[in-house]
Amino acid sequence: MVAKKETRCLLLQTAQRLLGHPPSAQEDTRWRLLQAATEVFAEVGYHAATTREICRRAGVNLASIHYYHGDKAALYREVFRLPFLSECNGFATLDISQVSLAEALHSFYGWLFPPTSDDDPMLQLFMRLHAREEAEPSGVLDDAMGQSVRPNHEKLLALLCREFGMKQPDEEVDRLSFGLVGLATVYFHNRAAVEYFAPHLIKGKPAKEAMAQRLVGYAVALIEAERTCRSTLAAGKK
């Protein structure tokens, strides 16, 4: 019960920062529904989740989901948007013209692989929810996840284009961008294997901070390898 109280407080704090003022009674109800839905969807998945249980946890009547979110599917899509809101997503709003490559990559991996996730119950819920969706696709997200991730994907492409002096990404930049993402996503999409073979890599804030730093180093090495490859190809054409 204590853990759920803490996660609810965290989400309402996020709501207050996004709104710029304490939530009104209606806004409070909407965010309590989002909190309760996040908990239930993360625990049992989309198909097994019931609107009755979500409303029970939120302390509202059954009509509230229809009033605030439309239906269960729309509520699920809204829950998936939460980790990608600008307030939670420093990389998407980063001015890449003002930071070094290493600084930009550290911001990127800090978003993908939060060092404080063990201490943040909301992040733990979101990670469980995304892992469950990967294992048991709901079929209701449509392009919601793609649209949510798009700002970060486009920012990463822009960063790579900056490094290679390009106006638009080519096939190799697209390939490299997914490689950079893959460096981090394996640690939570295949978390069970990591916890079995090398749990020390992801347990605790110091370990996660060290991981983020190493990921930046790996990413820089891949980018430099691509830069060398491009230089070699350009020299061969002369």
Side-chain angles (χ1 to χ4, degrees):
M1 183 64 68
V2 174
K4 288 181 181 177
K5 183 177 180 181
E6 289 176 350
T7 45
R8 182 163 292 113
C9 289
L10 283 171
L11 192 53
L12 288 177
Q13 288 170 12
T14 298
Q16 182 166 334
R17 288 195 296 270
L18 288 168
L19 293 166
H21 57 79
S24 65
Q26 281 195 333
E27 290 164 341
D28 180 84
T29 299
R30 177 178 178 274
W31 284 86
R32 281 191 289 119
L33 273 170
L34 286 169
Q35 174 60 58
T38 303
E39 294 173 4
V40 175
F41 287 137
E43 288 172 12
V44 302
Y46 174 77
H47 294 293
T50 66
T51 55
R52 183 177 299 277
E53 175 60 15
I54 291 170
C55 289
R56 185 192 69 79
R57 293 199 193 189
V60 300
N61 61 52
L62 279 171
S64 297
I65 288 180
H66 176 73
Y67 181 82
Y68 288 99
H69 299 285
D71 58 16
K72 176 181 165 182
L75 178 60
Y76 191 61
R77 287 191 287 267
E78 186 68 13
V79 163
F80 263 81
R81 287 185 61 248
L82 289 174
F84 302 99
L85 296 174
S86 295
E87 191 275 343
C88 310
N89 187 357
F91 181 69
T93 56
L94 188 70
D95 184 354
I96 60 172
S97 67
Q98 301 298 315
V99 296
S100 68
L101 175 61
E103 289 171 329
L105 289 170
H106 195 275
S107 175
F108 178 66
Y109 287 119
W111 168 69
L112 274 178
F113 197 74
T116 58
S117 58
D118 284 347
D119 305 317
D120 187 336
M122 273 310 303
L123 282 175
Q124 291 181 48
L125 279 175
F126 288 135
M127 291 172 73
R128 285 175 60 192
L129 182 65
H130 280 247
R132 183 176 286 279
E133 176 64 24
E134 289 281 339
E136 304 169 10
S138 64
V140 302
L141 286 181
D142 302 322
D143 62 349
M145 285 190 67
Q147 291 301 320
S148 297
V149 176
R150 182 179 296 278
N152 281 33
H153 180 68
E154 291 180 345
K155 183 61 64 73
L156 180 59
L157 290 177
L159 176 66
L160 294 175
C161 286
R162 184 196 80 176
E163 290 299 305
F164 301 136
M166 304 167 63
K167 292 184 178 180
Q168 297 292 331
D170 59 15
E171 181 177 304
E172 293 307 319
V173 167
D174 284 331
R175 198 189 315 277
L176 177 58
S177 70
F178 286 107
L180 299 181
V181 173
L183 289 174
T185 55
V186 65
Y187 290 100
F188 49 90
H189 285 310
N190 199 19
R191 188 181 182 90
V194 178
E195 288 180 339
Y196 181 82
F197 291 110
H200 55 279
L201 293 179
I202 56 174
K203 292 295 185 182
K205 185 176 179 180
K208 286 185 169 63
E209 289 176 339
M211 178 64 72
Q213 290 291 349
R214 295 295 287 171
L215 289 172
V216 171
Y218 301 152
V220 169
L222 286 174
I223 291 169
E224 291 306 318
E226 177 62 22
R227 198 190 314 276
T228 299
C229 181
R230 287 174 179 271
S231 297
T232 300
L233 289 173
K237 293 178 180 179
K238 292 181 179 179

